[in-house]
Amino acid sequence: MASHIVGYPRMGPKRELKFALESFWDGKSSAEDLKKVSAELRASIWKQQAGAGIKYIPSNTFSYYDQVLDATATLGAVPPRYGWNGGEIGFDTYFSMARGNASVPAMEMTKWFDTNYHFIVPELGPDVNFAYSSHKAVEEYKEAKALGVDTIPVLIGPVSYLLLSKPAKGVEKSFSLLSLLPKVLAIYKEVVADLKSAGASWIQFDEPTLVLDLESHKLQAFTDAYSELASTLSGFNVLIETYFADIPAEAYKTLTSLSGVTAYGFDLVRGTKTLDLIKGGFPGGKYLFAGVVDGRNIWANDLAASISTLQALEGVVGKDKLVVSTSCSLLHTAVDLVNETKLDDEIKSWLAFAAQKVVEVNALAKALSGNKDEAFFSANAAALASRKSSPRVTNEAVQKAAAALKGSDHRRATNVSARLDAQQKKLNLPILPTTTIGSFPQTVELRRVRREYKANKISEEEYVNAITEEIRKVVELQEELDIDVLVHGEPERNDMVEYFGEQLSGFAFTVNGWVQSYGSRCVKPPIIYGDVSRPKAMTVFWSSKAQSLTKRPMKGMLTGPVTILNWSFVRNDQPRSETCYQIALAIKDEVEDLEKAGITVIQIDEAALREGLPLRKSEHADYLDWSVHSFRITNVGVQDTTQIHTHMCYSNFNDIIHSIIDMDADVITIENSRSDEKLLSVFREGVKYGAGIGPGVYDIHSPRIPSTEEIADRINKMLAVLEKNILWVNPDCGLKTRKYTEVKPALTNVVAAAKLIRKELSN
């Protein structure tokens, strides 16, 4: 029985790639230094999987930014503004597309399906001159081969690439991206021919869009594409990989009828209904890559249950045609449990990170071949039993309180218009009030202070004094810039979810459980293993201290329950909605304590609400019902004069705008600038929004500093569709990843633009 890994984390067990990238971007190291670190990481990954007994090992899953941008480079689909003149695409052009540069903005970034990973959205139109411009796929295949590892090169499938793209600026929104398929396929043929010449015998096309609700013409594009590629692919074993959800029946029928395809990969963790489709009919003589090991979470696999599933599939597809696989790329999990020295043994026994999942995949394959590792399976069964019976998992009082929530929809008693009037009387803000989203730059010194405090190298008094001094600097800077509603900059927080999880019961934390979010940005998701409650106040001390330093309104900064849920590794032994309600109750307690402490503006970030939206439309209503309800629970008890803000970033919001309105926040700040003001189109189409709203005026994920005129132009575009009395002026997102040398001039221009437009409005 063979085994397969869809993809693997690329950052390295200690974030080696992150530090190499940032050193290169800062000009502290060379391109050769970056390439050297990357080659060492790739070699380590390939050798690890080969050593674990994996037969089908992927290559070309390593990326300096993201795999869709890699495909854009391969196809030479570089927007003209980057001044690329052909030839092999180098780091300058590649990273300019990803991050922007001094003269031009970056391409749009959005979420990869329903994950916290991001990708750079291709910008396409009828005039794009596709050309084979990055030979990364074949170079990595050869690199692995030279190490004695024969891999499966992985490419983003041509149809998914186009379906994930958008019309470039100036191209009609109605332009059919699929009309570019013949041009794109011409380049794919060159790549495939290159791989064939290099000796590859298998090739993997990732076509995850097949799990979406696709119209018939989009499904037909898959048939057309692989029919066109069939002769070029002759001699290859071709695997089409899908993941993240059940595959719809019509898409399953299309996929299993494609020309020249040898194997099909399915997510059987999040796509349990796909099992029924397979059992109802699977093409004879084809391989089934069965994704039974979860690539999205960190819980140990239920090996006995997986064996049962695999044995049932053997009877359908045949023993020699079944391959044990992960449900998706392991990119979405932490790297290796071996690096976790501070997790207690009980919780650690319940977990499996990427390296452990590789072992699980191979153990399942060996067991199906008659070489079952009895000790490994016994230890797995014992760990599962321990987790199920552990008293630390269950808190009856929390479960009872969460169950009682279902009798109400938890809406504030007064409508938003009346609340905004009451708040304005108290806050006395100008038209177009300015604010930021929460965090300010996380300096080297600040990180050192937090690190030394955690390691008990400095006292609590020294820590409090250092953080207080940082807050004072951030407050003084905002007052100097004349920002209207201030933030304390979050110097005490390394991560917006981790900070709260550390203070809530039912959470566990890792030392090196890093997961890539985009580029060099990594997050360390907490692990929700049990019922959640708040033992004591979490932010009141710092928010009160910050408010004491200024007469201007100071926002209390909280992470909302849906975002804490979606940015954590969540327990899989109860519905996600139940866990979310528990978190909502904990945040509700914090909101009410902040209000009692005199904080009049409280921001409850729900950056990840859209991210968690299920991929199938039939499941949207249920998710939006409990997620929006969870947000309302957090602030239902506050006074009309307390202004509740929320923030959302880097997702497509237009399709859930009515649910966003239903959240009933007083003010929402939302990403807008990097997506070409896509958000504003929903208001042009007639959606009425009566609460305060701040569509972002500049992209904080790029080092580029926008001019006052550029920001003023954005504000004017907003005023064309939104009333001046509800519009706020703010960046797209928090500023923690930026430097003060970028933040100060950018915010100076933001305030100047707001004042300029205020003056024009007054005239």
Side-chain angles (χ1 to χ4, degrees), residues 36-112:
K36 182 175 182 289
V37 170
S38 305
E40 289 169 354
L41 285 171
R42 287 192 295 270
S44 171
I45 292 166
W46 292 325
K47 287 176 180 178
Q48 177 224 6
Q49 291 180 37
I54 302 299
K55 180 175 181 180
Y56 299 114
I57 297 170
S59 61
N60 198 39
T61 57
F62 185 91
S63 178
Y64 289 107
Y65 214 87
D66 84 78
Q67 68 271 31
V68 180
L69 183 61
D70 291 350
T72 294
T74 298
L75 295 166
V78 180
R81 65 180 177 274
Y82 298 108
W84 176 66
N85 295 314
E88 191 79 2
I89 288 176
F91 282 157
D92 282 353
T93 300
Y94 181 88
F95 288 128
S96 290
M97 290 192 286
R99 306 176 72 238
N101 57 43
S103 56
V104 291
M107 295 166 69
E108 180 184 352
M109 181 169 71
T110 196
K111 295 289 174 75
W112 177 244

Side-chain angles (χ1 to χ4, degrees), residues 377-395:
F377 272 70
S378 294
N380 174 261
L384 294 176
S386 158
R387 183 178 167 211
K388 192 171 184 179
S389 62
S390 175
R392 68 199 300 180
V393 170
T394 306
N395 182 325

Side-chain angles (χ1 to χ4, degrees), residues 634-653:
T634 65
N635 59 87
V636 66
V638 301
Q639 300 172 28
D640 287 356
T641 50
T642 297
Q643 189 167 83
I644 299 295
H645 288 224
T646 190
H647 171 66
M648 297 182 177
C649 56
Y650 297 99
S651 285
N652 296 314
F653 299 105

